[in-house]
Coordinates of all heavy atoms in Angstrom, one line a residue:
E259 N 35.2 0.0 22.8 CA 33.9 -0.7 22.6 C 33.3 -0.4 21.2 O 32.7 -1.2 20.6 CB 32.9 -0.2 23.7 CG 33.2 -0.7 25.1 CD 32.4 0.0 26.2 OE1 32.0 1.2 25.9 OE2 32.2 -0.6 27.2
A260 N 33.5 0.9 20.7 CA 33.1 1.2 19.4 C 33.9 0.4 18.4 O 33.3 0.0 17.3 CB 33.2 2.7 19.2
H261 N 35.2 0.2 18.6 CA 36.0 -0.5 17.7 C 35.6 -2.0 17.6 O 35.6 -2.6 16.5 CB 37.5 -0.4 18.1 CG 38.4 -1.0 17.1 ND1 38.7 -0.3 15.9 CD2 39.2 -2.1 17.1 CE1 39.6 -1.0 15.2 NE2 39.9 -2.1 15.9
V262 N 35.1 -2.5 18.7 CA 34.6 -3.9 18.7 C 33.4 -4.0 17.8 O 33.2 -5.0 17.0 CB 34.2 -4.4 20.1 CG1 33.4 -5.7 20.1 CG2 35.5 -4.5 21.0
E263 N 32.5 -3.0 17.8 CA 31.3 -3.0 16.9 C 31.7 -2.9 15.5 O 31.1 -3.6 14.6 CB 30.4 -1.8 17.3 CG 29.8 -1.8 18.7 CD 28.9 -3.0 18.9 OE1 28.3 -3.5 18.0 OE2 28.7 -3.4 20.1
I264 N 32.7 -2.1 15.2 CA 33.2 -2.0 13.8 C 33.8 -3.3 13.3 O 33.7 -3.7 12.2 CB 34.2 -0.9 13.7 CG1 33.5 0.5 13.9 CG2 34.9 -0.8 12.3 CD1 34.5 1.7 14.0
D265 N 34.6 -4.0 14.2 CA 35.1 -5.3 13.9 C 34.0 -6.3 13.5 O 34.2 -7.1 12.6 CB 36.0 -5.8 15.0 CG 37.3 -5.2 15.1 OD1 37.7 -4.5 14.1 OD2 38.0 -5.2 16.2
E266 N 32.9 -6.3 14.3 CA 31.8 -7.2 14.0 C 31.2 -6.9 12.7 O 30.8 -7.8 11.9 CB 30.8 -7.1 15.1 CG 31.2 -7.7 16.5 CD 30.1 -7.7 17.5 OE1 29.0 -7.3 17.2 OE2 30.4 -8.1 18.6
L267 N 31.1 -5.6 12.4 CA 30.6 -5.2 11.0 C 31.5 -5.7 9.9 O 31.0 -6.2 8.9 CB 30.4 -3.7 11.0 CG 29.9 -3.1 9.6 CD1 28.5 -3.6 9.3 CD2 30.0 -1.6 9.7
S268 N 32.8 -5.5 10.1 CA 33.8 -5.9 9.1 C 33.7 -7.4 8.9 O 33.8 -7.9 7.8 CB 35.2 -5.5 9.6 OG 36.2 -6.0 8.7
N269 N 33.7 -8.2 10.0 CA 33.6 -9.7 9.9 C 32.4 -10.1 9.2 O 32.4 -11.1 8.4 CB 33.7 -10.3 11.3 CG 35.0 -10.1 12.0 OD1 36.0 -10.0 11.3 ND2 35.1 -10.1 13.3
L270 N 31.2 -9.5 9.4 CA 30.0 -9.8 8.8 C 30.1 -9.6 7.3 O 29.7 -10.5 6.5 CB 28.8 -8.9 9.3 CG 27.5 -9.1 8.6 CD1 26.9 -10.5 8.7 CD2 26.5 -8.0 9.1
I271 N 30.7 -8.5 6.9 CA 30.9 -8.2 5.4 C 31.8 -9.2 4.8 O 31.6 -9.7 3.7 CB 31.4 -6.8 5.2 CG1 30.3 -5.8 5.7 CG2 31.7 -6.5 3.8 CD1 30.8 -4.3 5.8
K272 N 32.9 -9.5 5.5 CA 33.9 -10.5 4.9 C 33.3 -11.9 4.8 O 33.6 -12.6 3.8 CB 35.2 -10.5 5.7 CG 36.0 -9.2 5.6 CD 37.3 -9.3 6.5 CE 38.1 -8.0 6.3 NZ 39.3 -8.0 7.1
T273 N 32.5 -12.2 5.7 CA 31.9 -13.6 5.7 C 31.0 -13.7 4.5 O 30.9 -14.8 3.9 CB 31.1 -13.8 7.0 OG1 31.9 -13.8 8.1 CG2 30.4 -15.2 6.9
N274 N 30.3 -12.6 4.1 CA 29.4 -12.7 3.0 C 29.9 -12.3 1.6 O 29.4 -12.6 0.6 CB 28.1 -11.9 3.3 CG 27.3 -12.5 4.4 OD1 26.4 -13.3 4.1 ND2 27.5 -12.1 5.6
F275 N 31.0 -11.5 1.6 CA 31.5 -10.9 0.4 C 33.0 -11.2 0.2 O 33.6 -10.6 -0.8 CB 31.2 -9.4 0.3 CG 29.7 -9.1 0.3 CD1 29.1 -8.8 1.5 CD2 29.0 -9.1 -0.9 CE1 27.7 -8.5 1.5 CE2 27.7 -8.8 -0.9 CZ 27.0 -8.5 0.3
G276 N 33.6 -12.0 1.0 CA 35.0 -12.3 0.8 C 36.0 -11.4 1.5 O 35.6 -10.3 2.1
D277 N 37.2 -11.7 1.5 CA 38.2 -11.0 2.3 C 38.8 -9.8 1.6 O 39.4 -8.9 2.2 CB 39.4 -11.9 2.6 CG 39.1 -13.0 3.6 OD1 38.2 -12.8 4.4 OD2 39.7 -14.1 3.5
A278 N 38.5 -9.6 0.3 CA 39.0 -8.5 -0.5 C 38.1 -7.3 -0.2 O 37.4 -6.8 -1.0 CB 39.0 -8.8 -2.0
I279 N 38.2 -6.8 1.1 CA 37.4 -5.7 1.5 C 38.2 -4.6 2.2 O 39.2 -4.9 2.9 CB 36.4 -6.2 2.6 CG1 35.4 -7.2 2.1 CG2 35.6 -5.0 3.2 CD1 34.4 -6.7 1.1
E280 N 37.9 -3.4 1.8 CA 38.6 -2.2 2.5 C 37.5 -1.4 3.1 O 36.7 -0.7 2.3 CB 39.4 -1.4 1.4 CG 40.3 -0.4 2.0 CD 41.2 0.3 1.0 OE1 40.6 0.8 0.0 OE2 42.4 0.3 1.2
L281 N 37.4 -1.4 4.4 CA 36.2 -0.8 5.1 C 36.6 0.4 5.9 O 37.6 0.4 6.7 CB 35.6 -1.8 6.0 CG 34.4 -1.4 6.9 CD1 33.2 -1.0 6.0 CD2 34.0 -2.4 7.9
F282 N 36.0 1.6 5.7 CA 36.2 2.8 6.4 C 34.9 3.2 7.1 O 33.9 3.5 6.3 CB 36.7 3.9 5.6 CG 38.2 3.7 5.1 CD1 38.4 3.0 3.9 CD2 39.2 4.1 5.8 CE1 39.7 2.8 3.4 CE2 40.5 3.8 5.4 CZ 40.8 3.2 4.2
V283 N 34.8 3.2 8.4 CA 33.6 3.5 9.1 C 33.8 4.7 10.0 O 34.7 4.8 10.8 CB 33.2 2.3 10.0 CG1 31.9 2.6 10.7 CG2 33.0 1.0 9.2
H284 N 32.9 5.7 9.7 CA 32.8 6.9 10.6 C 31.7 6.6 11.6 O 30.6 6.4 11.3 CB 32.5 8.1 9.8 CG 32.3 9.4 10.6 ND1 33.3 10.1 11.1 CD2 31.1 9.9 11.1 CE1 32.8 11.2 11.8 NE2 31.5 11.0 11.8
T285 N 32.1 6.7 12.9 CA 31.1 6.4 14.0 C 30.5 7.7 14.5 O 31.2 8.7 14.7 CB 31.7 5.7 15.2 OG1 32.8 6.4 15.7 CG2 32.2 4.3 14.7
D286 N 29.2 7.7 14.6 CA 28.4 8.8 15.1 C 27.8 8.4 16.4 O 27.3 7.3 16.6 CB 27.3 9.3 14.2 CG 27.8 9.9 12.9 OD1 28.8 10.6 13.0 OD2 27.2 9.6 11.8
G287 N 27.8 9.3 17.4 CA 27.1 9.0 18.7 C 25.6 9.3 18.5 O 25.2 10.2 17.8
C288 N 24.7 8.5 19.1 CA 23.3 8.7 18.9 C 22.9 10.1 19.6 O 23.5 10.5 20.5 CB 22.5 7.6 19.5 SG 22.8 7.4 21.3
L289 N 21.8 10.6 19.1 CA 21.2 11.9 19.6 C 19.8 11.6 20.1 O 19.3 10.5 20.0 CB 21.2 13.0 18.5 CG 22.6 13.3 17.9 CD1 22.5 14.3 16.7 CD2 23.5 13.9 19.0
N290 N 19.2 12.6 20.7 CA 17.9 12.4 21.3 C 16.9 11.8 20.4 O 16.1 10.9 20.7 CB 17.4 13.7 21.9 CG 18.1 14.2 23.1 OD1 18.8 13.4 23.8 ND2 18.0 15.4 23.5
F291 N 16.9 12.3 19.1 CA 15.9 11.8 18.2 C 16.1 10.3 17.8 O 15.3 9.6 17.2 CB 15.8 12.7 16.9 CG 17.1 12.8 16.2 CD1 17.5 11.8 15.3 CD2 17.9 13.9 16.3 CE1 18.6 11.9 14.6 CE2 19.1 14.0 15.6 CZ 19.4 13.0 14.7
S292 N 17.4 9.8 18.1 CA 17.7 8.4 17.7 C 16.9 7.4 18.6 O 16.8 6.3 18.2 CB 19.2 8.2 17.9 OG 19.9 9.1 17.1
C293 N 16.5 7.9 19.8 CA 15.8 7.0 20.7 C 14.6 6.3 20.1 O 14.3 5.2 20.4 CB 15.4 7.7 22.0 SG 16.8 8.2 23.0
A294 N 13.9 7.1 19.2 CA 12.6 6.6 18.7 C 12.8 5.4 17.7 O 11.9 4.6 17.5 CB 11.9 7.7 17.9
I295 N 14.1 5.2 17.2 CA 14.3 4.1 16.3 C 15.3 3.1 16.9 O 15.8 2.2 16.2 CB 14.9 4.6 14.9 CG1 16.2 5.4 15.1 CG2 13.8 5.4 14.2 CD1 16.8 5.7 13.8
C296 N 15.7 3.3 18.1 CA 16.7 2.5 18.8 C 16.0 1.3 19.5 O 15.1 1.5 20.4 CB 17.5 3.3 19.8 SG 18.7 2.3 20.7
T297 N 16.4 0.1 19.2 CA 15.8 -1.1 19.8 C 16.5 -1.6 21.1 O 16.1 -2.6 21.7 CB 15.8 -2.3 18.8 OG1 17.1 -2.6 18.5 CG2 15.0 -1.9 17.6
K298 N 17.5 -0.8 21.6 CA 18.3 -1.3 22.7 C 17.4 -1.2 24.0 O 16.9 -0.1 24.4 CB 19.5 -0.4 22.9 CG 20.5 -0.9 23.8 CD 21.8 0.0 23.7 CE 22.8 -0.5 24.7 NZ 23.3 -1.8 24.4
K299 N 17.1 -2.3 24.6 CA 16.2 -2.3 25.8 C 16.9 -2.0 27.1 O 16.2 -1.5 28.0 CB 15.6 -3.7 25.9 CG 14.7 -4.1 24.6 CD 14.1 -5.5 24.8 CE 13.3 -5.8 23.6 NZ 12.7 -7.2 23.7
D300 N 18.2 -2.2 27.2 CA 18.8 -1.9 28.5 C 19.5 -0.6 28.6 O 20.4 -0.4 29.4 CB 19.8 -3.1 28.8 CG 20.9 -3.2 27.7 OD1 20.7 -2.5 26.6 OD2 21.9 -3.9 27.9
C301 N 19.1 0.4 27.8 CA 19.7 1.7 27.7 C 19.2 2.5 29.0 O 18.0 2.7 29.2 CB 19.3 2.4 26.5 SG 20.1 4.1 26.4
T302 N 20.2 3.0 29.8 CA 19.9 3.7 31.0 C 19.8 5.2 30.8 O 19.5 6.0 31.7 CB 20.9 3.4 32.1 OG1 22.2 3.8 31.6 CG2 20.9 1.9 32.4
V303 N 20.2 5.7 29.6 CA 20.2 7.1 29.3 C 19.2 7.5 28.2 O 19.2 8.6 27.7 CB 21.6 7.5 28.8 CG1 22.6 7.3 30.0 CG2 22.0 6.8 27.6
R304 N 18.2 6.6 28.0 CA 17.2 6.9 27.0 C 16.4 8.1 27.4 O 15.9 8.3 28.5 CB 16.3 5.7 26.8 CG 15.2 5.9 25.8 CD 14.2 4.7 25.7 NE 14.9 3.5 25.1 CZ 15.1 3.3 23.8 NH1 14.6 4.2 23.0 NH2 15.7 2.2 23.4
T305 N 16.2 9.0 26.4 CA 15.4 10.3 26.7 C 14.0 10.2 26.1 O 13.2 11.0 26.4 CB 16.1 11.5 26.1 OG1 16.3 11.3 24.7 CG2 17.5 11.6 26.8
Q306 N 13.8 9.3 25.1 CA 12.5 9.2 24.5 C 12.2 7.7 24.3 O 13.1 6.8 24.2 CB 12.5 9.8 23.1 CG 12.8 11.3 23.1 CD 12.7 11.9 21.7 OE1 12.0 11.4 20.8 NE2 13.5 12.9 21.4
P307 N 10.9 7.3 24.3 CA 10.6 5.9 24.2 C 10.8 5.4 22.8 O 10.7 6.2 21.8 CB 9.1 5.9 24.5 CG 8.6 7.3 24.2 CD 9.7 8.2 24.5
F308 N 11.1 4.1 22.6 CA 11.2 3.5 21.3 C 9.8 3.5 20.6 O 8.8 3.2 21.3 CB 11.7 2.0 21.4 CG 11.5 1.2 20.2 CD1 12.4 1.4 19.1 CD2 10.6 0.3 20.1 CE1 12.3 0.7 17.9 CE2 10.4 -0.5 18.9 CZ 11.3 -0.3 17.8
Q309 N 9.8 3.8 19.3 CA 8.5 3.9 18.6 C 8.5 2.9 17.5 O 7.5 2.1 17.3 CB 8.3 5.3 18.0 CG 8.1 6.4 19.1 CD 7.8 7.7 18.5 OE1 7.1 7.8 17.5 NE2 8.4 8.8 19.0
Q310 N 9.5 2.8 16.6 CA 9.5 2.0 15.4 C 10.9 1.7 14.9 O 11.7 2.6 14.9 CB 8.6 2.7 14.3 CG 8.5 1.9 13.0 CD 7.8 2.7 12.0 OE1 6.9 3.5 12.3 NE2 8.1 2.5 10.7

Side-chain angles (χ1 to χ4, degrees):
E259 291 168 333
H261 191 71
V262 169
E263 297 295 334
I264 294 173
D265 283 343
E266 289 187 1
L267 177 64
S268 177
N269 291 335
L270 173 64
I271 295 171
K272 288 180 179 179
T273 298
N274 288 273
F275 296 93
D277 293 331
I279 298 291
E280 189 173 56
L281 177 65
F282 291 92
V283 181
H284 173 84
T285 56
D286 292 323
C288 61
L289 299 174
N290 288 342
F291 60 80
S292 304
C293 292
I295 61 172
C296 177
T297 61
K298 193 173 178 65
K299 296 179 179 179
D300 58 349
C301 181
T302 60
V303 296
R304 180 182 292 277
T305 60
Q306 297 180 29
F308 168 74
Q309 297 182 38
Q310 179 184 332

